[in-house]
Amino acid sequence: MRAHPINKIRNIGIIAHIDAGKTTVSERVLFYTGKKHKIGEVHYGEAEMDWMEQEKERGITITAAATTCFWHDCQINIIDTPGHIDFTVEVQRSLRVLDGAVVVFDGVAGVEPQSETVWHQADKYKVPRACFINKMDRTGANWEKDLASIHERLTPNAVPINLPIGAEENFSGIIDLFKMKAVKFEGEHGEKIIEEEIPADKLEWAKKWRHNLVEKIVEQDDILMQRYLEGKESSEEELKKVLRQAVVNYKLVPVLCGSALKNKGVQYMLDAVCDYLPSPVDLPPTEGFDPEDEIKKIAREAKDEAPFAALAFKVATDPYVGQLTYFRIYSGTLKAGTYVLNSSSGEQERIGRILRMHAKQREEMQEMYTGEIAATVGLKNTKTGDTLCDLQNQIVLEKIIFPEPVISVAIEPKTKADQEKMGIALRRLSDEDPTFRIKGDIETGQTIISGMGELHLEIIVDRMLREFKVEANVGRPQVAYKETIKGEAEAEGKYIRQSGGRGQYGHVWLRVASKERGAGFEFLNEIKGGIIPQEFIPAIGKGVKEAVDKGVLAGYPLVDLSVTLYDGSYHDVDSSEIAFKIAGAMALQAATKRAKLVLLEPVMRLQVITPEQFMGDVIGDINSKRGRIENMTDRGEGVARVKVIDAKVPLGDMFGYATTLRSTTQGRANFTMEFNNYEEVPNNITTQILEGKRK
């Protein structure tokens, strides 16, 4: 039997820029909901949700951790996600399966680069959200400035439902705009909530924001609007009901504030999660398609009686139980010991054990229902993004699309004994993380691993050593350049060999044309009248694809081009698949050389926060790295005032930037960097890259 009705379930994620205080907020949530009885602090490496050794050492979240807790009459399934852009995969796959999100902002910094990134990821999956302006006790905290940055850079529909009383060291509580009461949080951990009258000096300010809140809510409902125009008041219950509907429909975003570290305001954030964020039944039915016919759309309603459908959104290796597969149930129920179909791969899987996860701890369950998030052990052929469904009622749910890696390093085992272990470790880690890729370099015989940044690859190598006991030598980081063409061209590929007896004959004409950035590769067949027999076409496509992956100019993959096969010839006896495959590769190389081949490089969005006296040195250094300064702003007041520099910089010039920045600014500046786009490499740099490759 279900312990909580489905309309009382909340699947939420806590998302934010690095260092906004997500994990501290999660710790307070676990404490107030009675899930744990002692608050663990991130800076002491005691946070429940940061359980990996690497997370404790660095004081950052690396992997998304799931837990379940209960507040009033709601069951809240929480995923605490990383803020660091190198681990963007964790945010993306979590948002795909969540119904709502709490976006945490730093009370001093407001909207930061990765706040924007996670916000746009939430937009992509249409996730309703609430904002929590955290760290109101920090020096330089400014609530009005933070709210203005949310309105300006994220959404004009953010509406405060409580206000801070004071700021910095004078931050003492919040004002509830529905009840029009001041709220203080007392006791050792702020667990005693005391309501009192609003201080006289804050009353007018509170009335102004209360008026703004009521106006924003009544705009969403004709009946309340009519009443409002007649000068009549609506009850708190009516206002909250309309606000909830507006949040579920992405029309409004409630904004709360507090300080998780100082135990103020987190209970009100939990109330907001229960009051305004959607349950599984508040959202439209989940859509997918029939595995037999991709055009045929199927919808699944969030009901226990509906056929079972779930999405596997994360695969993790647990040292005690083996491979864990996390999944979200969209419809139906799942019992331990039953069989399900992986409709993405067509394989049957047996569900041996069902686990409710609490960070790294596990609770064994016999049955799970619609809307729940759980994990299972020992699935053989299920990867991130696969659909698990009922054997008789098949459906494939929307997959998760992951970004391409931008940085690579060569890696080799230290000893012969490490060689076999390294292969197993790399395969396991790439199953876990779709943004981590492995490939062999044919020319050098090395293993190349690719990821989202230097920290990402550093953590991978560290995990290989600790979890899989593999010692490895790691090369210098290399940029994941790509090649493309700027024009159109045609070329012939002819592969003819005679060697007594049967020979080889393949002959094709290809046309290549550039496509817009990000459009990918496309192979088109325009052969008419059987000039080349149909059975040889796939071989030509394969030859072309291999040549595209290998690259022409400098051995980097070719992207954003279409290749059209439009002519050729064949020999009745000598033609073979291998001959046409080679001819296709030859024609592609010849055609792209005529179509203005260029190199593309990843360009990063960089934000540097520095004291004013070092600004000139920082800007000079960015310019020397071919960077473009896009914006400069001030943040904070008085002593806490700093300069914020936004720039775009090629990744190739940014290795070791952390050390350079520290030495330039006496260790007082910090930076964040994330992938922005691919751009053409200037000619002089292309020459240097090609020469470096040849060496």
Side-chain angles (χ1 to χ4, degrees), residues 139-140 145 168 612 635-642:
T139 306
K145 244 184 181 174
E168 304 181 342
E612 198 159 353
R635 183 182 289 170
E637 301 292 333
V639 194
R641 188 168 155 187
V642 288

Side-chain angles (χ1 to χ4, degrees), residues 90-255:
E90 296 288 345
V91 183
Q92 227 154 295
R93 58 179 165 198
S94 303
L95 283 171
R96 168 66 182 85
V97 297
L98 292 169
D99 301 329
V102 175
V103 190
V104 180
F105 297 93
D106 184 322
V108 179
V111 176
E112 297 175 88
Q114 282 144 37
S115 319
E116 288 189 68
T117 305
V118 294
W119 189 275
H120 297 319
Q121 286 173 331
D123 281 343
K124 179 179 163 188
Y125 293 116
K126 296 192 173 72
V127 177
R129 65 213 81 145
C131 298
F132 182 68
I133 298 176
N134 189 27
K135 301 194 178 184
M136 282 307 302
D137 59 307
R138 255 188 80 191
T139 306
N142 186 323
W143 179 83
E144 301 229 353
K145 244 184 181 174
D146 269 27
L147 183 66
S149 72
I150 293 170
H151 283 155
E152 198 181 305
R153 295 169 63 180
L154 301 178
T155 174
N157 302 325
V159 50
I161 60 173
N162 61 34
L163 309 175
I165 301 173
E168 304 181 342
E169 70 272 18
N170 300 322
F171 176 63
S172 60
I174 60 172
I175 296 169
D176 181 341
L177 291 177
F178 281 112
K179 292 181 178 166
M180 284 302 276
K181 293 279 186 194
V183 183
K184 297 282 170 74
F185 300 88
E186 294 185 357
E188 193 189 346
H189 299 300
E191 62 273 24
K192 291 182 188 149
I193 298 174
I194 294 161
E195 287 185 2
E196 47 191 55
E197 292 308 313
I198 297 170
D201 60 331
K202 298 280 181 198
L203 192 56
E204 282 309 309
W205 184 58
K207 281 180 180 170
K208 181 191 104 178
W209 282 106
R210 156 85 185 182
H211 180 72
N212 171 69
L213 172 64
V214 173
E215 270 196 347
K216 287 274 194 191
I217 294 173
V218 298
E219 279 171 13
Q220 307 295 325
D221 185 271
D222 294 343
I223 297 166
L224 293 196
M225 189 64 170
Q226 187 62 41
R227 203 183 296 165
Y228 178 74
L229 293 172
E230 289 166 7
K232 293 175 186 169
E233 284 278 317
S234 295
S235 71
E236 182 187 332
E237 203 172 294
E238 288 170 320
L239 290 170
K240 282 187 168 181
K241 190 179 171 189
V242 172
L243 176 57
R244 175 183 171 75
Q245 205 46 54
V247 172
V248 170
N249 296 331
Y250 327 114
K251 297 274 173 50
L252 291 177
V253 178
V255 181

Side-chain angles (χ1 to χ4, degrees), residues 51-85:
W51 56 271
M52 286 169 71
E53 290 302 322
Q54 293 87 342
E55 293 177 315
K56 289 177 182 174
E57 287 168 7
R58 290 168 175 81
I60 61 169
T61 304
I62 289 168
T63 181
T67 189
T68 299
C69 55
F70 302 90
W71 182 248
H72 301 328
D73 56 350
C74 281
Q75 174 183 326
I76 307 177
N77 301 320
I78 298 177
I79 297 183
D80 175 30
T81 64
H84 200 291
I85 201 67

Side-chain angles (χ1 to χ4, degrees), residues 6 57 130 136 287 361 400 530 560 593 614 640:
I6 191 166
E57 287 168 7
M136 282 307 302
E287 291 202 334
Q361 286 148 1
I400 312 170
D560 306 334
K593 281 174 185 168
F614 304 114

Side-chain angles (χ1 to χ4, degrees), residues 42 160 168 270 299 353 406 462 475 485 519 605 618 621-622 632 647:
V42 176
E168 304 181 342
L270 279 167
R353 295 164 65 196
V406 293
D462 194 36
I485 54 172
R605 195 158 44 148
V618 171
D621 186 47
I622 291 171
M632 281 187 281

